[in-house]
């Protein structure tokens, strides 16, 4: 994990944060109880370059900026915790590692189970005073999970084949 960030790292992270905000808040599809976006793509890139801690921090910054500029719901700290954990998970699975089918599927399963199926329903139930066992929370979430897991795993694996991440990592390591 990078202990400090230099100007190049901060600039790269800022670009990835801007991409996360755009993909999440502008191009993402969001209802009161469900959100679909491709925010995981810049998060994976950030995870490859910066590791779990800094990717978690970058995800939190993206969450704050997105909420400040394009709020679609009231601020709730639980979703900021989700942002940190999701970034940390991608950093754990992809920092200085090759993107394989195994870590693609594992990262998607961990984020889906922990974030989408455990924490988010809990936060939604707390926020909107809906029983945790309500189908208002679970029906769209389960449908999205069945459809989204293979899509996200495929896109994640595909990124490993098309992104020159090995050159990026080598370039970042040379700069320090």
């Amino acid at each position: 994990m990078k202990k400090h960030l230099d100007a190049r790292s901060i600039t790269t992270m800022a670009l990835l944060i801007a991409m996360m905000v755009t993909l999440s808040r502008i191009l993402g599809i969001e209802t009161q109880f469900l959100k679909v976006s491709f925010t995981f793509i810049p998060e994976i890139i950030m995870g490859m370059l910066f590791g779990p801690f800094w990717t978690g921090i970058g995800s939190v910054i993206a969450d704050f900026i997105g909420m400040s500029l394009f709020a679609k719901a009231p601020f709730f700290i639980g979703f900021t915790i989700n942002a940190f954990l999701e970034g940390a998970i991608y950093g754990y699975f992809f920092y200085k590692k090759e993107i394989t089918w195994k870590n693609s599927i594992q990262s998607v399963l961990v984020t889906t189970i922990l974030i989408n199926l455990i924490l988010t329903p809990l936060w939604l139930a707390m926020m909107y005073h809906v029983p945790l066992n309500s189908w208002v929370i679970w029906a769209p979430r389960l449908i999205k999970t069945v459809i989204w897991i293979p899509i996200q795993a495929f896109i994640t694996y595909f990124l490993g084949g098309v992104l020159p991440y090995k050159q990026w990592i080598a370039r970042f390591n040379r700069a320090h």
Side-chain angles (χ1 to χ4, degrees), residues 12-159:
T12 303
M13 188 174 276
L15 176 64
L16 292 167
I17 288 169
M19 289 174 63
M20 289 168 64
V21 171
T22 303
L23 289 171
S24 175
R25 303 296 177 159
I26 297 171
L27 301 176
I29 300 166
E30 188 172 348
T31 68
Q32 186 177 13
F33 292 102
L34 189 68
K35 182 177 184 177
V36 177
S37 80
F38 290 92
T39 307
F40 68 92
I41 294 171
E43 269 184 312
I44 288 169
I45 296 168
M46 195 181 293
M48 285 189 257
L49 298 175
F50 299 107
F53 177 75
W54 287 114
T55 305
I57 295 297
S59 297
V60 166
I61 292 168
D63 183 64
F64 282 140
I65 291 171
M67 279 302 297
S68 298
L69 298 177
F70 309 106
K72 295 180 181 178
F75 175 78
F76 186 78
I77 193 69
F79 296 114
T80 305
I81 293 168
N82 284 6
F84 180 84
L85 290 173
E86 191 167 348
I89 290 166
Y90 289 128
Y92 172 79
F93 279 100
F94 300 114
Y95 184 55
K96 294 185 178 180
K97 296 175 187 167
E98 191 163 335
I99 297 177
T100 63
W101 270 116
K102 182 181 176 182
N103 63 10
S104 296
I105 293 168
Q106 286 177 337
S107 69
V108 170
L109 288 175
V110 170
T111 56
T112 298
I113 292 167
L114 179 64
I115 308 295
N116 300 333
L117 296 178
I118 295 174
L119 292 176
T120 298
L122 179 63
W123 307 145
L124 291 170
M126 291 170 64
M127 256 180 91
Y128 295 113
H129 307 290
V130 175
L132 192 53
N133 62 354
S134 170
W135 279 102
V136 171
I137 292 175
W138 288 104
R141 186 157 307 286
L142 293 174
I143 292 167
K144 174 196 170 190
T145 298
V146 168
I147 295 168
W148 196 244
I149 283 177
I151 292 170
Q152 188 173 348
F154 175 78
I155 291 171
T156 301
Y157 180 72
F158 178 76
L159 286 174

